Amino acid sequence: MKALFLAISGALAGNAVAQDAFEPTDFNVTEALFANGVNVSALSDLAALVEKRSLSSPCTAACSSLKLIFGSKLLSSGSEPYDTFTSGYWSNQAAFVNPACVFRPSKAIDVSTTILVSRLTQCPFAVKGGGHTAFPGASSIEGGITITMEAMNEITLSSNKKTAFIGPGNRWGAVYKKLGEHNLAVIGGRASDVGLGLVLGGGISHQSSIYGYACDNVASYEVVTASGIILKVTPTLFPDLYWALRGGGNNFGIVTRFELETIPQGLMWGGTRVHTQASYPALIDAFASMAEGATEDPKSAQILSFAVTAGNAAAQIQLEYLEPVDETNPPAILQKYLDIPPLMANTLNRTLANDTVMLTNQMPGGRRYAFWAATYKLDREFMAWLQARHEKDVGPLADQGALAFQAFTVPAMEQMSKKGGNALGLSPADGPLMHTLLYVVWDNASKDEQLNKAALDLMNAAKAEAKDRNLYTEFIYLNYAGPYQNVIPSYGDEKLAKLKSIAKKYDPAAVFQKLQPGGFKLEGAPYGETI
Ligand SMILES: Cc1cc2nc3c(=O)[nH]c(=O)nc-3n(C[C@H](O)[C@H](O)[C@H](O)COP(=O)(O)OP(=O)(O)OC[C@H]3O[C@@H](n4cnc5c(N)ncnc54)[C@H](O)[C@@H]3O)c2cc1C
Ligand SMILES: *[C@@H]1O[C@H](CO)[C@@H](O)[C@H](O)[C@H]1NC(C)=O
Ligand SMILES: *[C@@H]1O[C@H](CO)[C@@H](O)[C@H](O)[C@H]1NC(C)=O
Ligand SMILES: *[C@@H]1O[C@H](CO)[C@@H](O)[C@H](O)[C@H]1NC(C)=O
Ligand SMILES: *[C@@H]1O[C@H](CO)[C@@H](O)[C@H](O)[C@H]1NC(C)=O
Ligand SMILES: *[C@@H]1O[C@H](CO)[C@@H](O)[C@H](O)[C@H]1NC(C)=O
């Protein structure tokens, strides 16, 4: 076994690779592994491959080889750490997936070696960040290798504090807490437990009307490509790949380090207010007014949810302002909401880290969930139509759920064109837009089919109605989409073609399409398109 580990020479040299030759046509995985210090001939389960014999059980060979190479970083099926890991997903559906093994890398080169072992054996893989995608297969893989980024959890400020290096295994609550000690923050998620996968789908944050989405505030990505090369990607280094990673999801590489731009962050104001059905018209007006008013005052943020819980309807508004607020003399943009008397309110001056705990508590894990996303032009009457249909058609069937409205404001969409633009299919000229997240919660798997059907029917009815009213947009937001939705193609033909050509350049063997089958692929919906 002494010849197994060799001096590492290869992976890092990739920065010198010519931009049009990411992978030669005669790319040899065995040699690439060799360059990473792994002698395939010395791994009994893989030696057959060097002699061009096929493997009877690709994933058994891949997992046992990773175990030999990496020891305790590899969690074998049936072990206690493996069981603890698989139960650690937000949704029950994702927690019931059983990978052949779980790999917990601590360095980019570990990730590089795993991709190469997957290619050599043809054992497929999935990558887990914070594990908040509700449907199975996006960050977990039945019978394959689940790569969890959890051990790569650095949070370090750069020397001038203008950026922070954030490991892909972090959760936003920990990031904000640490950076908050320096009165800084980054543009990221609004729930403490969500992970960095959010950046790859866009990333709606409380600060988006000022700074844009999470993906618009990335200084650099460290990415491991399909051929195991470790690249630093910035608006000027590999700018096409940088563009694709801003909204293109998991189709281009595995991010091993995010360098995010920091923003000043002191106390802010925020919390939730709960309202009865009598307030719905006023809430809809307040929502639309705040979305329209973002150009004058971009410091506010809102999520307006019309919930039905065990048959009872109520609305909840998650309201934020990026400075402390005196509720007796609030900024004008909050006034309409604050004028509506709540059943319950817990708005306070708080830290960003504390604010994010609320959303995590309101959406606790451990149940069955479905997300469905759609985007329409902002319109008060259509909001009322959507609310009523949800309350009537889907609300009563689920154990819990909501139709949640968020705004894509004009100033937020304007920020999308920073640094060469992003891959999402939105234009400020169409704004403001309203995003609907249809959020369905239940416990008994026997209800899966009925609820998927009810949700699909609502989405289709809403699409038809939006078209009639001239309010329809194609765009489907990746982070809130469900597995039957055609996300990446919804960005538009031109963006799709560009994304495909970038994938072809950096991943000519389509490793991230074929060997990493989960999540939103370039070709469309994970479970086949229905909408
Ligand atoms: C309670 C809750 C709150 C939410 N709040 C927000 C919000 O405020 N704003 C918003 O925009 N969205 C929000 N979302 C949606 C969220 O952005 C998505 O669920 C997102 O996919 C979560 O990222 P994750 O890392 O936790 O999940 P994961 O399921 O682990 O990852 C998501 C996808 O990204 C891929 N991925 C993860 N890490 C990497 C990596 N390092 N390299 C390559 N691919 C990777 C995974 O393979 C997977 O396909 C929320 C969801 C929930 C459940
Ligand atoms: C890859 O390289 C190894 C070691 O040099 C060699 O034995 C093997 O035949 C090569 N594989 C292919 C497919 O060319
Ligand atoms: C790789 O392993 C094989 C089989 O054990 C051995 O013969 C060979 O010398 C090793 N190569 C190197 C460079 O150590
Ligand atoms: C929040 O901060 C504002 C501005 O400093 C202050 O006027 C207000 O009293 C604070 N609210 C609470 C509840 O402390
Ligand atoms: C944040 O939360 C912690 C823990 O609950 C609490 O001790 C602290 O006072 C809170 N700080 C603010 C400013 O909200
Ligand atoms: C789930 O639903 C089925 C079919 O309605 C029922 O037979 C079963 O008892 C339910 N399971 C639980 C745990 O409630």
Side-chain angles (χ1 to χ4, degrees), residues 89-91 94 111 125-135 137-140 147 149 167-172 176 188-206 208 213-214 222-224 245 249-258 303 356 359-365 369 371 406 408 437 439 477-481 512 516 518-521:
Y89 283 82
W90 180 67
S91 82
V111 174
F125 64 92
V127 176
K128 184 194 180 210
H132 274 63
T133 309
F135 60 90
S139 42
S140 54
I147 305 172
M149 308 310 286
N170 274 294
R171 309 295 178 100
W172 294 106
Y176 299 145
R190 296 162 297 182
S192 55
D193 256 10
V194 172
L196 272 285
L198 168 143
V199 179
L200 300 173
I204 306 176
S205 114
H206 292 316
S208 286
Y213 297 90
E222 181 185 77
V223 180
V224 182
L245 288 166
N250 69 3
N251 291 296
F252 300 92
I254 300 181
V255 180
T256 45
R257 177 148 109 150
F258 292 86
I303 306 173
T356 60
L359 206 56
T360 285
N361 289 342
Q362 284 159 28
M363 297 167 77
Y369 305 92
F371 278 21
Q406 307 185 47
F408 287 117
L437 162 60
Y439 171 64
Y477 180 54
L478 187 152
N479 284 341
Y480 290 133
F512 290 109
Q516 188 207 38
F520 296 98
K521 303 280 96 173

Side-chain angles (χ1 to χ4, degrees), residues 197-256:
L198 168 143
V199 179
L200 300 173
I204 306 176
S205 114
H206 292 316
Q207 301 93 339
S208 286
S209 286
I210 301 179
Y211 299 98
Y213 297 90
C215 70
D216 302 325
N217 294 277
V218 180
S220 73
Y221 300 88
E222 181 185 77
V223 180
V224 182
T225 69
S227 34
I229 296 170
I230 302 164
L231 292 179
K232 181 175 180 181
V233 178
T234 74
T236 49
L237 291 171
F238 312 106
D240 51 356
L241 184 54
Y242 178 81
W243 178 87
L245 288 166
R246 290 171 66 186
N250 69 3
N251 291 296
F252 300 92
I254 300 181
V255 180
T256 45

